[in-house]
Amino acid sequence: RLLRQGGCMLEGESGLQKKTSVLIADDHKAFREGLSRLLRDEPDLEVVREARNGLEAVQFASELQPDVVIIDIAMPGLGGIEAIKRIRSHSPTTHFMVLSAFSYDAYVLAAVEAGASAYVLKTEGVREIAEAVRSVHSGRMVFSSEVNIAVRKRFASTDAASIRPRVHLSARERELLVLAARGLGNKEIAAKANIAERTVQTRFHEVLARTGAASRTQAVVLALSEGWITFDDVRSDGEPV
């Protein structure tokens, strides 16, 4: 049998080639199953399992050791960011591609800091998604064109190891970071939090000083990575991510 853990073999012009094994994790059944069917038409890709949430993704990845995990960010039980971290601990050769409906800077930065090699939007076609899987498996980073250019450039210079949590955030500080993660500016945050705009600026300066983050975006990434705020908190209208 030409089967092995992490994928099977594909016979081509140059002989037997290993298929790239793919695990898909998304809580939206129609999207998950549709993507699975489409990727199964790709001769060099093999969808080995579908997960309905982050906990299943961790379990299936542990059992199957897939080459690539395609994962959504916000899922019930366990989100994509934490799932990536857990999977990496026992499957260090697995690559990760976040497939999301939104291109918020904080989401992208948190995903890459957690270990994702790609951040692709769900509006991409199956051909682009398949090519992204191949690129990720080969060790390249991939981003949809809509992802902020400044964010993409930041990956080359951000030293995630230099960011360390030093304090426990207050409820007010977490609230402000959630609003910042939604892309709101000082004026909008002040209105939402019912405080003065100058107070917003002061509070953020305090958060940066206490956490060691170099910027507001970096502070949001740290808060998401450490679980001080969650992606469920960030979703302002309950829309799926």
Side-chain angles (χ1 to χ4, degrees):
R1 296 172 60 193
L2 300 179
L3 295 173
R4 58 186 292 185
Q5 188 173 10
C8 67
M9 304 300 290
L10 173 68
E11 185 173 2
E13 295 179 356
S14 59
L16 295 177
Q17 301 174 338
K18 180 178 178 294
K19 280 189 175 184
T20 298
S21 57
V22 180
L23 168 66
I24 300 174
D26 196 294
D27 61 317
H28 295 90
K29 181 179 180 181
F31 179 84
R32 183 183 68 246
E33 293 181 348
L35 178 61
S36 180
R37 285 194 298 270
L38 291 170
L39 290 184
R40 284 192 173 102
D41 290 335
E42 299 293 321
D44 59 331
L45 305 180
E46 180 193 17
V47 178
V48 294
R49 197 71 187 264
E50 297 174 24
R52 297 171 297 178
N53 52 58
L55 290 173
E56 285 192 351
V58 173
Q59 176 189 342
F60 298 157
S62 178
E63 297 170 354
L64 301 170
Q65 301 284 300
D67 295 317
V68 177
V69 172
I70 299 176
I71 193 165
D72 195 7
I73 283 187
M75 295 180 289
L78 185 72
I81 299 300
E82 183 60 30
I84 290 173
K85 294 177 182 178
R86 294 190 189 185
I87 294 171
R88 287 184 66 199
S89 68
H90 57 67
S91 185
T93 61
T94 295
H95 301 273
F96 301 91
M97 182 175 88
V98 169
L99 195 58
S100 175
F102 297 101
S103 57
Y104 299 145
D105 291 1
Y107 287 19
V108 182
L109 287 167
V112 174
E113 183 174 296
S117 299
Y119 195 101
V120 178
L121 298 182
K122 289 183 175 180
T123 52
E124 300 285 2
V126 64
R127 178 176 299 178
E128 288 75 19
I129 293 174
E131 283 302 317
V133 171
R134 298 182 182 103
S135 295
V136 167
H137 186 220
S138 67
R140 295 192 293 271
M141 297 187 77
V142 181
F143 302 98
S144 288
S145 59
E146 290 87 347
V147 175
N148 193 293
I149 293 176
V151 174
R152 284 184 278 166
K153 288 182 178 179
R154 185 181 183 85
F155 297 144
S157 58
T158 297
D159 180 8
S162 67
I163 310 174
R164 291 292 182 268
R166 300 174 185 173
V167 297
H168 292 291
L169 297 180
S170 68
R172 172 64 82 181
E173 289 167 335
R174 290 196 299 272
E175 178 189 10
L176 297 183
L177 285 170
V178 165
L179 294 173
R182 292 176 186 168
L184 302 183
N186 288 338
K187 185 175 181 178
E188 292 81 8
I189 291 174
K192 288 280 188 180
N194 196 28
I195 57 178
E197 186 173 347
R198 183 176 295 276
T199 302
V200 172
Q201 296 172 332
T202 300
R203 287 297 185 94
F204 273 117
H205 282 306
E206 292 173 352
V207 168
L208 297 185
R210 292 169 60 198
T211 62
S215 67
R216 184 178 302 190
T217 299
Q218 200 173 69
V220 169
V221 170
L222 179 59
L224 287 166
S225 299
E226 295 300 321
W228 297 339
I229 64 175
T230 70
F231 286 100
D232 284 337
D233 296 330
V234 174
R235 291 186 298 173
S236 57
D237 298 313
E239 66 269 52
V241 178

